Amino acid sequence: MNISLILQMAADADPERIGLVCDGRRWSYGALHRAARGAAKAFATSDCTHVALLDESSEAAAIALFGAAMAGIPYVPLNYRLADADLAALLGRIAPAFVIGDADRAARLSPEQGHTIVSRAGFIVEAERLADTEGELDEPTEPIAVQIFTSGTTAAPKAALLRHTNLLAYILGTVEFGSAAPEEAAQVCVPPYHIAGIAALLSSIYATRRILLLPAFDPDAWLTLAASERATSAFLVPTMLGRIIARMDVVRRETGVAPDLSALQAIAYGGGRMPLELIEHALELFPQTGFTNAYGLTETSSTIALLGPEEHRAAFRSADPAIRARLASVGRPLPTVEIEIRDADGLALPPGASGEIYVRGDQVSGEYRERRALDAEGWFPTRDAGWLDEEGYLFLGGRADDVIVRGGENISPGEIEDVLRTHAAIADAAAVGVPSVEWGEAVCVAVVARPGHDLPSPDALRNLIKERLRSSRVPERILAVDALPHNEMGKLLRREVRKLFSGGSQGPTH
Amino acid sequence: MKPGAKLKSAVCDAEVIVIRGSDVVVECGGVAMALDRPAERAAINPAFAGGTLLGKRYVDAAGTVELLCVKPGQGSLSIGGAPLDVKAAKPLPSSD
């Protein structure tokens, strides 16, 4: 089993059909497949142990991904936003690699590691040239398709390994081959080093759905591409959706005309917490659009649970609080995966009880270059906290490492944040545990006011939490901030929030 | 055969990948499939000439065998003479 099958099948089915559009160039499945074969020949003759991409999204990402698979060499998309020292360390861990993209930077950071370094343009030209040369490729035997370095919040980044079998299990379990109608076009703006960027290429090519690649996200560029290419679907992280909606409001005010998103039938989102009021606003603004919330991890080959379009509308319309609440859930597990909530001793918990999310299925790798994280029965501990409702809808409660342990009691930051976000004057909130002599950890909260609103008094917020939760959840300190720190994928950086409370006064700051 | 193996038709261009199932003989066009294609094509059995379609998944009645067609052909698939059926797609909303 090899993921190159995906591109091979699309090229066999309809070689002339346009599969990818990037920077004005339109790639047919046949042309992509030829370039991937040429790339595979370049990789196979280079003596590299890894194929690395150090670049924004472009056709080079697809050609390198499938070319590496054909050559039987793991593909490693690198985060070009990393600092020089961190990136140099990762380049050292994959040497000697065939590095594509920012050639100057790669050469400067790793001059004597035996890398083969080429620019994006040089790579494309060479791949297309080699496609027509003599020589067959050997049948690939390498089991690892993709290696992704995790962001590494506390220690060195881990090298997560995704096998061909994992990625194919995900694609075959979720996508019907060739199922896209001719007009379908998926707009992709997630970076290539993120699992969502890999999954987007695999899913759309297997569905023979045209990919509209946006190399770097910007609301205006996104709106322009969606209108000119008539995008029918898009994947966004919540921060991007918020910026697009804000930009649409401005364009409408300034020009009197709303940007043309008339072809857009579906928006999928994931990769970070979606503020409830943002998804509610989006559902009102795009009444004809199907929204899908996806939850997944690098180690699970992307999506393991999703909340589909009908479930969004049903929750949005419902007067039943339990059904309405599902708008804040990540939906139900895929039919091909199992999810369990377990306590600290590893025992399965009933619906409603919060614990660590465990997942099992063929798409779940749970494997790093350094170690395997699966237990004896094949379950992967996600380190995400959460709970399931009676109907099996999964609710996330933050990272298990983020659980606040106050006086021996486990507190999920999510439950406090959810309550605070229900207040009309609060746009966003983050709860963290800060070392405390008295409690071990004290609950501290950073809040962001909604524009045009004054923050409620600290006592009013404490009362709100006390009424809705328990007194142990009441924060010791409440800090007003202009914005919460998020990474480029919209993930809250809790370690940065914790720093806000280090070394300050003991009393309420706000 | 075992999961991951690629089986080739002896009568046409069809190729399938084994998704599920072990140690059974799959026929295409009425003739046993194998890891390698024979040098000379065998004759297709007209009773198994309905064709195998690219990208379709084929299952036996018991649900123990599942095959993905990665190259189409004129022969149709069977096990022990019992035709395999196309597995119905259960569409999921795209989340990528």
Side-chain angles (χ1 to χ4, degrees), chain A residues 362-376:
Chain A
D362 290 341
Q363 72 182 69
V364 178
S365 107
E367 189 180 0
Y368 305 98
R369 186 64 74 188
E370 300 78 16
R371 68 183 184 97
R372 266 171 85 82
L374 300 183
D375 73 10

Side-chain angles (χ1 to χ4, degrees), chain A residues 57-281:
Chain A
S57 262
S58 78
E59 62 270 40
I63 293 165
L65 168 68
F66 289 109
M70 290 175 189
I73 300 169
Y75 170 68
V76 191
L78 293 167
N79 183 349
Y80 49 81
R81 290 187 171 93
L82 289 176
D84 279 357
D86 297 330
L87 190 58
L90 297 188
L91 282 165
R93 286 167 67 179
I94 57 170
F98 194 107
V99 186
I100 301 153
D102 192 340
D104 291 346
R105 191 172 179 213
R108 177 167 57 79
L109 292 179
S110 55
E112 283 168 14
Q113 294 172 344
H115 296 306
T116 303
I117 300 173
V118 295
S119 68
R120 182 202 299 181
F123 169 64
I124 301 290
V125 167
E126 184 68 356
E128 293 193 285
R129 186 186 70 79
L130 286 172
D132 297 326
T133 57
E134 295 286 313
E136 285 301 302
L137 290 158
D138 293 335
E139 191 76 17
T141 54
E142 167 63 45
I144 306 301
V146 176
Q147 173 176 324
I148 295 179
F149 286 107
T150 62
S151 40
T153 48
T154 49
K158 286 182 288 192
L161 304 180
L162 296 173
R163 292 172 178 261
H164 288 278
T165 49
N166 300 136
L167 291 165
L168 278 172
Y170 172 64
I171 296 302
L172 297 181
T174 57
V175 186
E176 185 68 9
F177 176 74
S179 55
E183 70 275 12
E184 282 188 43
Q187 187 151 317
V188 176
C189 58
V190 285
Y193 56 80
H194 193 277
I195 181 62
I198 305 276
L201 295 174
L202 299 177
S203 292
S204 282
I205 292 176
Y206 195 66
T208 57
R209 184 185 302 111
R210 191 161 62 259
I211 297 167
L212 311 174
L213 267 189
L214 188 62
F217 178 76
D218 164 81
D220 279 316
W222 191 92
L223 286 164
T224 303
L225 182 64
S228 65
E229 289 288 339
R230 300 203 52 77
T232 57
S233 65
F235 179 88
L236 295 165
V237 300
T239 322
M240 294 172 178
L241 180 60
R243 290 182 63 194
I244 289 165
I245 288 175
R247 186 64 199 153
M248 288 176 73
D249 288 343
V250 171
V251 171
R252 196 182 296 112
R253 255 201 323 275
E254 286 177 353
T255 66
V257 184
D260 176 20
L261 292 180
S262 55
L264 194 65
Q265 298 160 5
I267 293 176
Y269 63 92
R273 174 181 275 273
M274 171 65 87
L276 193 57
E277 82 272 6
L278 177 57
I279 186 62
E280 287 177 342
H281 184 44

Side-chain angles (χ1 to χ4, degrees), chain A residues 37-51:
Chain A
R37 277 190 61 81
K41 290 178 187 172
F43 302 151
T45 51
S46 75
D47 293 327
C48 65
T49 57
H50 298 80
V51 171

Side-chain angles (χ1 to χ4, degrees), chain A residues 1 5 8-9 12-13 170 172 176-177 199-200 203 206 235 268 292 294 302-303 306, chain B residues 3-4 6 17-19 54-57 68-71 87 89 92-96:
Chain A
M1 299 268 252
L5 192 64
Q8 170 81 58
M9 287 169 69
D12 283 351
Y170 172 64
L172 297 181
E176 185 68 9
F177 176 74
S203 292
Y206 195 66
F235 179 88
T292 297
S302 189
T303 306
L306 56 83
Chain B
K6 189 189 275 184
I17 281 190
V18 181
I19 306 293
L54 180 64
K56 294 294 179 195
R57 289 197 270 176
L68 171 69
C69 172
V70 297
K71 295 261 186 208
K87 187 182 182 183
L92 283 170
S94 173
S95 59
D96 304 306

Side-chain angles (χ1 to χ4, degrees), chain B:
Chain B
M1 71 170 233
K2 61 181 177 24
K6 189 189 275 184
L7 305 177
K8 295 174 179 169
S9 173
V11 305
C12 64
D13 293 335
E15 292 180 15
V16 300
I17 281 190
V18 181
I19 306 293
R20 208 144 31 93
S22 295
D23 303 326
V24 291
V25 176
V26 179
E27 303 113 13
C28 177
V31 181
M33 299 182 86
L35 298 176
D36 295 305
R37 205 183 297 282
E40 282 195 34
R41 288 225 165 138
I44 192 166
N45 178 338
F48 296 96
T52 300
L53 300 175
L54 180 64
K56 294 294 179 195
R57 289 197 270 176
Y58 292 85
V59 289
D60 64 345
T64 54
V65 175
E66 182 172 337
L67 310 167
L68 171 69
C69 172
V70 297
K71 295 261 186 208
Q74 296 83 40
S76 58
L77 303 173
S78 57
I79 292 175
L84 301 188
D85 290 323
V86 173
K87 187 182 182 183
K90 287 191 216 101
L92 283 170
S94 173
S95 59
D96 304 306

